[in-house]
Structure formats: structure tokens, C-alpha cells
Amino acid sequence: MTETLWYTRCPVPTASGLAHSLGWLGDTAAAAGLEFGVLQDAGPELAGHHFLHDLSGLIREGGNVPAIAARAAGSPTRLIGLTWIDEAQAILVGPESTVSGPAELAGLRVGIPAWAADQPRSFPRAMALHGFANALRLAGLTLADVTVVESGVERDPQVRTAVQTDRRGTTWGVHELLRGEVDAIYVKGARAQEVAREHGLRVAVDLDATESKRLRVNNGTPRPITVHADLLESRPEVVIGFLAQSLRAAEWAKGNLDGVRTVLQRETLSGPDGVVAAYGADFHKDLHPSLSDERVELLGVQKQFLYTHGFLAADFDLESWVAREPLARARELVAAEQVAA
């Protein structure tokens, strides 16, 4: 029997992250008679569960590469929500480079992080590959039109705490680019924007400027909320409560941009300018998780890319992974509260 509601998230904008910062997830656990634990605050012996999601009692909101790879490897999880927040995806080139569009990527040496210890932990490689694939596709090109140069990567990345500031997961390849070993790198997120400015790097392709969401699909778009099947089966009301708190936090965020940005600075280890550059002025208006047909379809695009490029142990049926009832029940709870108010 689960005694602890465990939670883990990536350092990005999420309603569940806000609900945690506001203390609401802990309240949900306490109301159910459970302890509340956060992997980011736990010891290294639990860190791997962030990627493998094999800890009973765990709910995870984070990048889709580890979530999909863990499911493909047999981890007993269910998909209970998806969010979509664009977060400044770009292809960067050096200060002296004249490359200024996707067509000019042809023939370049592109920096791609090496494989990590396993498929779920190899998310930096997956992000860069898909980022370049999407950028090249804008010009009718493919990965066959560039030369992949592998860059170093932390083989066993850990869930990050506020004191772990030496590893910046959005900036792999910067040193190789500055040394002239590669011609272009993929970056995303708040800290990446700051790093680009610090080193005078230029944006060759702004992936956020593309209208097609399919060309912006990557590790964080869409971002899944997954739950260990044991928790969903034994304590469905806890999972519903978790999602209801996330929905409430998404509503809170709509009127509290400054508060959301303050949380994000802490989560991303970035300054205010980096958060603004990465997420813009309106991202806080739609942090609500959903399982819309569009978001599930876009997650399917990512799953197919990961399978094609060797990031999944096996293929699996996406729809069989989805559990729709918890989010539907959570929406009913929050809607009833709003009517009562």
C-alpha cells in the first residue's frame, strides 16, 4: 500500500509545479493520509525514478522523452494529462557565422549530445536531433543533409536541486560551438537564452516562429503528466486530487504573471530576462493540462520520432497508455467549486 505521494517535475512552467510551490500538493497528500515527498529534495537513491518512473506512488510532470522511453521499456505508468508551453527553441550559431535560415544549415557540422547511460536519460540527444530535424524540414532538408558531431553529456543526470547550478541541461554544445568544433547547436528554455546572450551567439533558426505545432514538437512540447499504475489503481482519488490542484493552480496563474515568473526563476535557475525571453508574456494563461485529440496526436508524433531514432526499447499503442477519467473527474470538481463560488 502506498504510504507516500511522490512528485517529480522538470524545471519548466507547469501547473503542478505551481501547485507544489503554493503548498497545495502537500495538502492533497495530507488529506488522503499520505506523506508527501519530492524527488528533487530526496537523496540520490531515489533520483533514478525521475527517469524510469518505477516508484509506486509517483506522479511525474516533465519531458516526454523519459516518460515515453520508460513506458516503452515496460514501466507501469498511465498518461493522465498533457500540457503545451512553447519555450524558446532555437538553432544557434557562433558570433561570426553568417547562417541565417534553415536552408543554410545544409552541410554544417551540428552538435548532438552523445548517448547517456540509457534511453530515458538520453533526452539531450533526442532534443537536439528532433530540434535539428524540425529546423531542416522547414527548408525541405533532413538530418542526412548535415554532419552530426557528438558532444559530451552527463551520462547519469540527476534531478536538479536549487544548489546544482553547474550543469545546464539546455546548453549542451556551447563550448564546442565556441571552440569551432561544430557550426550549430540546438537550445531551448530560459537559461539557454541567457547563455546565448552571454557568449554573443546568434539565432540561425527560431523554431518558435513556425506556425506548425508539428514542427515544434520536442521533449517539452507536449509535456506529459504520468502516474504509476499502482497509485492510480489503489488511490484514484489522490490522482484526481493532484490534477484538481493543478487545474486550480492554472487558474491562479492566469491572474498572477509576476508570481509565476518568480517561481520560474527559481525552477530554471535563470534570471528575470531569461524567463521573459523564453516564455513571453502570455504563457501563464494556458497552463491547464488536457488530453485533447490534438495534444495526444502531437505526442504520437514525438513517440514515432523517438522510435525511429532508437530511443525506445519497443513501440507501443499510445491510446492504451491514456487514462482519461482522472482528469475528467478533476475538471468536474473544479467546475463545481467555481459554480458554488
Side-chain angles (χ1 to χ4, degrees):
M1 177 66 69
T2 296
E3 297 180 354
T4 301
L5 172 61
W6 287 101
Y7 170 62
T8 185
R9 82 283 190 194
C10 293
V12 292
T14 63
S16 66
L18 292 175
H20 167 54
S21 295
L22 293 166
W24 298 351
L25 298 186
D27 292 344
T28 293
L34 300 175
E35 298 294 323
F36 180 65
V38 179
L39 289 192
Q40 279 75 6
D41 302 328
E45 68 278 1
L46 294 176
H49 297 298
H50 177 81
F51 299 103
L52 303 180
H53 205 149
D54 52 0
L55 176 66
S56 179
L58 178 64
I59 300 179
R60 178 188 188 276
E61 181 165 11
N64 59 47
V65 174
I68 296 172
R71 173 63 183 83
S75 182
T77 64
R78 299 300 302 276
L79 175 66
I80 56 174
L82 289 165
T83 58
W84 182 286
I85 303 296
D86 285 305
E87 47 183 347
Q89 298 184 67
I91 305 300
L92 299 184
V93 294
E96 307 302 322
S97 175
T98 60
V99 174
S100 60
E104 296 176 37
L105 295 176
L108 297 190
R109 299 165 301 164
V110 303
I112 302 294
W115 286 96
D118 52 36
Q119 290 161 315
R121 289 176 176 85
S122 295
F123 65 94
R125 182 180 182 87
M127 285 197 302
L129 276 174
H130 209 167
F132 273 109
N134 284 337
L136 289 161
R137 191 174 167 192
L138 289 169
L141 303 172
T142 71
L143 289 168
D145 294 299
V146 296
T147 298
V148 170
V149 177
E150 288 196 346
S151 59
V153 72
E154 189 175 6
R155 283 186 51 79
D156 186 18
Q158 304 297 307
V159 289
R160 196 173 65 188
T161 68
V163 298
Q164 294 172 310
T165 60
D166 58 331
R167 297 282 183 176
R168 305 288 190 164
T170 56
T171 56
W172 284 286
V174 167
H175 297 302
E176 289 87 347
L177 181 60
L178 291 171
R179 290 195 298 260
E181 297 168 7
V182 299
D183 302 308
I185 61 173
Y186 164 86
V187 299
K188 69 98 176 172
R191 179 57 186 160
Q193 297 298 300
E194 292 185 336
V195 168
R197 285 197 299 271
E198 288 169 7
H199 297 287
L201 303 179
R202 296 182 51 254
V203 175
V205 182
D206 179 3
L207 285 165
D208 283 351
T210 63
E211 292 186 6
S212 171
K213 282 191 172 182
R214 278 179 168 261
L215 294 180
R216 305 200 304 276
V217 167
N218 210 303
N219 185 46
T221 41
R223 183 173 290 111
I225 307 172
T226 51
V227 60
H228 195 284
D230 286 351
L231 179 62
L232 182 58
E233 292 170 8
S234 65
R235 301 297 301 271
E237 77 283 1
V238 174
V239 178
I240 293 167
F242 176 99
L243 290 169
Q245 296 289 35
S246 296
L247 291 169
R248 295 179 189 111
E251 284 298 309
W252 174 89
K254 288 164 64 174
N256 289 275
L257 177 58
D258 289 342
V260 175
R261 283 178 170 165
T262 297
V263 172
L264 272 183
Q265 289 176 51
R266 182 169 64 248
E267 291 280 283
T268 63
L269 304 179
S270 175
D273 292 342
V275 169
V276 172
Y279 302 111
D282 294 323
F283 75 94
H284 64 299
K285 296 179 180 179
D286 190 18
L287 295 176
H288 302 71
S290 84
L291 287 169
S292 68
D293 290 343
E294 179 190 47
R295 288 186 183 174
V296 173
E297 178 186 359
L298 291 169
L299 187 67
V301 171
Q302 175 73 334
K303 181 177 76 74
Q304 186 59 41
F305 181 89
L306 296 177
Y307 181 65
T308 301
H309 290 272
F311 291 93
L312 305 186
D315 200 3
F316 63 93
D317 178 63
L318 184 61
E319 189 57 40
S320 69
W321 191 28
V322 181
R324 299 181 183 276
E325 185 176 358
L327 185 56
R329 293 279 306 280
R331 283 177 169 166
E332 291 172 358
L333 282 177
V334 175
E337 292 169 357
Q338 291 171 343
V339 170

